[in-house]
Amino acid sequence: MKVLAACILVLLVGAASVDASCKPVVGHFEATLVFPGQGHCPSDPSAFCTSGRVWGGIQGNYQFVMTGSVSSATLGGPASVLFFTGRSVVFLKNGSQITGTDTGSIDLPMIGGQGGFASLITFGPRSQIRLRGEFDPDAATTSGDYIGSMCSE
């Protein structure tokens, strides 16, 4: 009987901790490179920016600007992998926008890498999505999928 009571207590505590203001999101994205000095991209020649769309649990258009980077070679990793930070702005279909801090890594094909990347975008204290995708420098595109949770703040 004590085991059954303990199991019920665990289930009740777990159910109480579910935040109704958060919803899981899953979807896809695709973007094209935006060259330095065009659109939202700074005029710095080393700027890396993209602009595209998201669909699925989050719907709208987005812009990304890389704000910093370091080669993983400085940490003993392969020279083709770049760790980065950036800013992502999503212009939602309902007219609002959300801004997030983007952190991740990309394996640059231009220096022998395979083009894969993964990142985490944090939107405020409780919302975040994880992305994984491919960068094609010949087509100047990125594409992939995301999964995460968006919460009312």
Side-chain angles (χ1 to χ4, degrees), residues 85-104:
T85 59
R87 184 183 73 254
S88 290
V89 180
V90 181
F91 302 91
L92 300 171
K93 281 191 169 185
N94 69 10
S96 64
Q97 71 182 45
I98 53 176
T99 301
T101 300
D102 201 316
T103 57

Side-chain angles (χ1 to χ4, degrees), residues 11 13 17 19 51 65 71 78 87 93-94 106 129 145 153:
L11 289 174
V13 170
S17 67
D19 189 341
S51 182
V65 176
S71 170
R87 184 183 73 254
K93 281 191 169 185
N94 69 10
I106 184 168
I129 58 175
D145 53 40
E153 301 301 334

Side-chain angles (χ1 to χ4, degrees), residues 58 88 90 98-100 121-129 150 153:
I58 303 171
S88 290
V90 181
I98 53 176
T99 301
I121 304 176
T122 303
F123 300 100
R126 300 184 309 138
S127 300
Q128 63 180 214
I129 58 175
M150 298 300 289
E153 301 301 334

Side-chain angles (χ1 to χ4, degrees), residues 32-52 62-66 87 140:
T32 57
L33 290 178
V34 176
F35 295 99
Q38 297 180 351
H40 69 281
C41 197
S43 58
D44 178 348
S46 66
F48 183 89
C49 308
T50 63
S51 182
Y62 79 93
Q63 298 174 342
F64 167 77
V65 176
M66 187 180 293
R87 184 183 73 254

